[in-house]
Amino acid sequence: MLSAADTAARNGAGWDACLAALDARAHSRSFERPQWKELYQAYVDAGVPSGAPVPGMD
């Protein structure tokens, strides 16, 4: 659910990963799967609201 504040870190990390893949594809670059847990933790460390369940991390 996008309206719940506690999903912001999870959703932000997900968007980061997806947009990085699209950017690589658009520029014909190879793409290594990002370290999603590190992206998520960076959002949490920056104070972005978190706490929603994260698939694969709970």
Side-chain angles (χ1 to χ4, degrees):
M1 181 149 93
L2 293 175
S3 63
D6 67 353
T7 63
R10 180 189 68 195
N11 293 346
W15 277 102
D16 261 351
C18 291
L19 291 174
L22 286 171
D23 183 61
R25 175 76 174 187
H27 293 96
S28 300
R29 293 190 312 251
S30 62
F31 177 73
E32 259 189 62
R33 190 175 201 163
Q35 298 299 317
W36 194 89
K37 290 179 182 181
E38 291 173 8
L39 290 172
Y40 175 76
Q41 191 59 50
Y43 276 92
V44 172
D45 292 346
V48 175
S50 61
V54 178
M57 287 183 65
D58 40 326

